[in-house]
Amino acid sequence: VKAKYAIPIITFTYKSSYYSQEVDMKPSIRAFVWFVLSSSATACPFGSSGGAPPNDTVHRQRLRHRLSNINIDHHRPEQRELQLEEDCLTEDTYDAIYSDIEAMSAVLADNVSRSHFLGGILRLAAHDFMDFDMNDTAAPMGADGCIDWQHEANNGLETIWCDDGCPLTQIYQEKYSVMSRADFWVASANAVIKLSSPNNELDLKSTFKWGRVDADQCPDSALRLPGASDCGQVQDVFLNRLGLNWTDAVALIGGHTLGRGNSNFSGHEGIWVDTDAEATIFDKRYYEEVLRRAWVPRNEGTDVQDWTWGGNNDGSPRFMLNTDMCLLFDIET
């Protein structure tokens, strides 16, 4: 693996009282929420971006799938659902999701578990919308509450959303099944961002819209997710298919500041920041790590080659993927 200096893409400016002048988190929030919040959704009471749901057979169906039917093999009859107009989400419901995720996070034993849980919710929402392809009018996919559970790109998400014992799934089934899964995942990701941001300042409530339609099958959706090999993956997924620019793509990848890699799931072990505690905070630390550390290749000659510095770090080695490092360097593999 070779790396040579390229023109840095990370060029954000200061606009927030609690971030330094190196990185502006506003583009990060804008890029992350652009896809998870964009949909043909009726927004009440969070704004207006559409009319009542269509009065057809599909949208008149109010029954939600039972938890036992959300199977990881997802070989179910195709059915799409949209909550009815009279089931309009209230701000109290939105706020309750935040409170429930805050409570679930608080009882976790340590920062390793907490970073996995919070980062996992963010990853769940991201993997739901990152299969969007603006060029495929027949099957654009996107935020539709559907994950290809059998594909290795989604390994580990079954510890966040599952039939057997996943708190997030359980609380959805017990309290929020009037919402589509897609809406719930977005609201949960919003809750994570607020909960893990400094002073809980990154509140996305004013931008939230409900009405995303669940898909029960999304064949080959994981093939649209970015791999970890090089910046070609970033360009193909974020620019060519999602329609972002490079600044927004850099901001979206900044979600790696929260959470961790697990060798049992992705083959990559560690955290993108310096400590386990920092891996529970949604801030600009990820960008500082990319810029300031002396990164060296790890696992060379394997399918899970990545970058590291500083040794084992008490079981949480620092690491970056090629798709992280290529934001600052040209990566040749």
Side-chain angles (χ1 to χ4, degrees):
V1 179
K2 299 179 181 178
K4 56 185 179 182
Y5 282 103
I7 298 174
I9 299 170
I10 304 174
T11 56
F12 300 145
T13 57
Y14 175 86
K15 290 185 181 179
S16 177
S17 59
Y18 56 83
Y19 294 116
S20 77
Q21 295 185 357
E22 294 180 0
V23 179
D24 172 19
M25 282 297 295
K26 296 295 177 62
S28 177
I29 300 305
R30 181 192 67 213
F32 177 78
V33 303
W34 189 84
F35 279 98
V36 297
L37 301 181
S38 296
S39 69
S40 55
T42 301
C44 57
F46 305 104
S48 178
S49 66
N55 184 26
D56 56 30
T57 302
V58 172
H59 293 87
R60 282 196 297 268
Q61 295 175 348
R62 293 193 61 182
L63 294 178
R64 308 293 307 175
H65 285 303
R66 296 182 63 84
L67 178 60
S68 60
N69 290 333
I70 306 176
N71 297 319
I72 62 173
D73 59 10
H74 64 77
H75 292 301
R76 300 180 295 272
E78 184 162 358
Q79 179 181 0
R80 294 170 68 83
E81 302 160 357
L82 182 68
Q83 52 265 63
L84 296 182
E85 189 175 17
E86 59 265 30
D87 290 330
C88 175
L89 254 64
T90 66
E91 291 192 37
D92 287 344
T93 300
Y94 183 92
D95 292 339
I97 294 173
Y98 173 86
S99 297
D100 283 332
I101 288 179
E102 181 180 34
M104 286 186 282
S105 174
V107 300
L108 295 174
D110 50 46
N111 286 324
V112 172
S113 301
R114 193 168 295 110
S115 63
H116 173 76
F117 176 69
L118 297 175
I121 294 175
L122 209 61
R123 181 173 173 239
L124 178 67
H127 279 217
D128 187 29
F129 77 74
M130 285 197 302
D131 60 10
F132 175 74
D133 187 347
M134 65 180 181
N135 307 301
D136 189 343
T137 57
M141 298 190 189
D144 57 8
C146 188
I147 297 290
D148 183 356
W149 298 103
Q150 295 185 357
H151 196 282
E152 62 181 6
N154 295 314
N155 285 351
L157 290 179
E158 74 279 0
T159 66
I160 303 298
W161 189 266
C162 65
D163 290 355
D164 184 19
C166 290
L168 187 69
T169 318
Q170 187 172 5
I171 202 71
Y172 167 78
Q173 186 65 20
E174 292 174 353
K175 297 180 61 175
Y176 304 110
S177 61
V178 67
M179 304 172 65
S180 64
R181 291 187 301 275
D183 279 351
F184 180 72
W185 292 351
V186 170
S188 298
N190 287 0
V192 165
I193 290 173
K194 179 182 178 181
L195 177 63
S196 60
S197 65
N199 303 318
N200 305 130
E201 190 170 333
L202 298 179
D203 189 349
L204 304 177
K205 182 197 291 190
S206 64
T207 66
F208 180 77
K209 298 176 182 179
W210 72 272
R212 295 164 189 82
V213 179
D214 281 345
D216 284 323
Q217 297 181 10
C218 44
D220 297 328
S221 61
L223 299 179
R224 296 182 177 185
L225 299 175
S229 57
D230 53 53
C231 263
Q233 294 288 316
V234 178
Q235 181 169 359
D236 184 44
V237 175
F238 295 160
L239 277 67
N240 297 344
R241 282 189 250 151
L242 296 184
L244 297 175
N245 58 40
W246 273 110
T247 300
D248 290 339
V250 171
L252 185 60
I253 295 174
H256 282 166
T257 199
L258 187 70
R260 59 194 306 109
N262 188 308
S263 59
N264 293 323
F265 303 142
S266 66
H268 302 277
E269 184 72 32
I271 51 179
W272 283 270
V273 289
D274 191 23
T275 68
D276 289 330
E278 289 174 2
T280 68
I281 303 171
F282 192 88
D283 61 6
K284 65 183 178 65
R285 185 74 62 177
Y286 163 85
Y287 301 108
E288 295 180 342
E289 293 294 316
V290 172
L291 286 166
R292 295 177 178 177
R293 302 299 185 186
W295 297 95
V296 295
R298 181 178 71 169
N299 304 322
E300 290 186 88
T302 71
D303 292 337
V304 291
Q305 185 272 321
D306 52 25
W307 300 76
T308 191
W309 74 272
N312 184 53
N313 194 27
D314 294 326
S316 294
R318 300 92 165 182
F319 85 104
M320 292 283 168
L321 303 171
N322 283 341
T323 43
D324 299 308
M325 293 298 294
C326 72
L327 300 180
L328 187 61
F329 299 94
D330 288 333
I331 303 295
E332 300 176 358
T333 57

